Amino acid sequence: MSIPWIDADEPFPPVSTALANGLLAAGADLSTPRLLQAYQQGLFPWYNPGEPVLWWSPDPRAILRCDAFKLSKSLAKTCRRIARQEQDSNARWRITTDVDFLAVIQQCAAVRQYQEGTWISDEIIQAYYQLHLQKYAHSIEVWQDNQLVGGLYGVKIGRFFFGESMFSLVSDASKVALYYLTRCLLQLGIPYIDCQQETAHLLSLGAHTVPRSTFIELLQQYTSAPPTPWHVGQLSAQGQWIALQ
């Protein structure tokens, strides 16, 4: 079955017309207005370098309630150790937000390229960096001995966060980033993270799936809510911003 081609000035088709695998349309561009429109309608771009932009709306959809994050015993121990060092200027570990968004997305691309190939092309990097400059895309950084060893990035619209990708160069670094993200979002009154597609890894951390229709209802409720401010700086274990050491 063919999918519709959309030009830059054309609207997206209804998500109900997506194929069984979630593919809805091809074409358009990755401009900031187009990306914001896509996320608010439950779509995200996912395609290989050299292909046209492909737009997806899976059914069911994987989401994570921030207050349902599953903290394993080993991860809890790591997070407690990090928390004890928050006020120490010589701490080995530090968790920050938006300190180096570009490095995070580049590391996500590099790690995935090494493991399994990546859809995070230069085009994607530039598009999301523009979203970041306009205060829609954000990153969590995990630092060990002042080296970036893990992190994630995603998009915040209203009071909904859309997770995009994460990376880890040392054990549990991406899980630490996700845990701190959930604490931060709860402080901001943001209850959900869009995880896009179901994976065993995400399910182990507390994600679950909902019908696409339920996901769209959540989007309508939370993306239209008044946005809460996001800051640049160091995060505490409670998800609050603290002064950079």
Side-chain angles (χ1 to χ4, degrees):
M1 183 181 296
S2 63
I3 58 169
W5 177 271
I6 53 174
D7 292 323
D9 58 347
E10 288 185 289
F12 289 112
V15 294
S16 59
T17 63
L19 301 182
N21 64 359
L23 182 57
L24 177 72
D29 55 34
L30 296 178
S31 66
T32 293
R34 175 63 81 170
L35 284 169
L36 295 178
Q37 179 189 49
Y39 280 109
Q40 289 175 292
Q41 294 182 29
L43 305 172
F44 59 88
W46 185 34
Y47 62 102
N48 293 318
E51 295 179 346
V53 182
L54 301 178
W55 301 95
W56 300 79
S57 180
D59 188 10
R61 187 76 164 233
I63 61 172
L64 172 64
R65 280 187 59 99
C66 292
D67 60 4
F69 182 87
K70 292 182 180 178
L71 205 59
S72 67
K73 289 183 179 179
S74 62
L75 183 59
K77 183 178 179 180
T78 298
C79 290
R80 286 195 299 270
R81 184 169 66 249
I82 295 171
R84 288 195 295 267
Q85 303 174 6
E86 285 173 359
Q87 302 301 329
D88 183 357
S89 59
N90 297 314
R92 289 200 65 202
W93 290 80
R94 190 161 48 93
I95 316 301
T96 61
T97 67
D98 283 9
V99 168
D100 202 338
F101 178 90
L102 196 55
V104 168
I105 192 171
Q106 288 171 339
Q107 282 288 354
C108 287
V111 169
R112 290 185 175 277
Q113 179 68 45
Y114 173 74
Q115 293 176 341
E116 58 193 25
T118 183
W119 73 92
I120 307 176
S121 62
D122 289 343
E123 184 180 31
I124 288 283
I125 290 172
Q126 288 303 314
Y128 282 81
Y129 186 55
Q130 288 303 313
L131 279 178
H132 171 66
L133 293 177
Q134 297 187 50
K135 312 299 183 185
Y136 289 107
H138 302 285
S139 58
I140 303 287
E141 300 94 13
V142 179
W143 307 87
Q144 186 183 61
D145 298 328
N146 294 319
Q147 299 295 314
L148 183 64
V149 296
L152 59 80
Y153 75 96
V155 176
K156 182 175 80 72
I157 302 176
R159 296 197 179 186
F160 206 99
F161 192 89
F162 304 84
E164 276 298 317
S165 187
M166 53 188 179
F167 79 97
S168 186
L169 301 181
V170 300
S171 179
D172 284 346
S174 61
K175 294 179 183 179
V176 168
L178 183 57
Y179 173 71
Y180 270 75
L181 173 65
T182 62
R183 301 307 94 184
C184 175
L185 295 181
L186 287 172
Q187 288 287 337
L188 296 177
I190 299 174
Y192 292 103
I193 300 171
D194 172 30
C195 300
Q196 297 181 351
Q197 301 195 53
E198 176 184 356
T199 68
H201 176 65
L202 290 170
L203 292 178
S204 73
L205 296 174
H208 67 285
T209 59
V210 295
R212 181 167 54 209
S213 58
T214 300
F215 179 72
I216 298 300
E217 290 174 0
L218 291 173
L219 290 187
Q220 292 172 346
Q221 177 181 355
Y222 289 105
T223 60
S224 61
T228 44
W230 189 284
H231 303 286
V232 178
Q234 185 173 340
L235 272 181
S236 75
Q238 290 74 42
Q240 298 169 327
W241 276 275
I242 57 180
L244 281 172
Q245 301 296 318

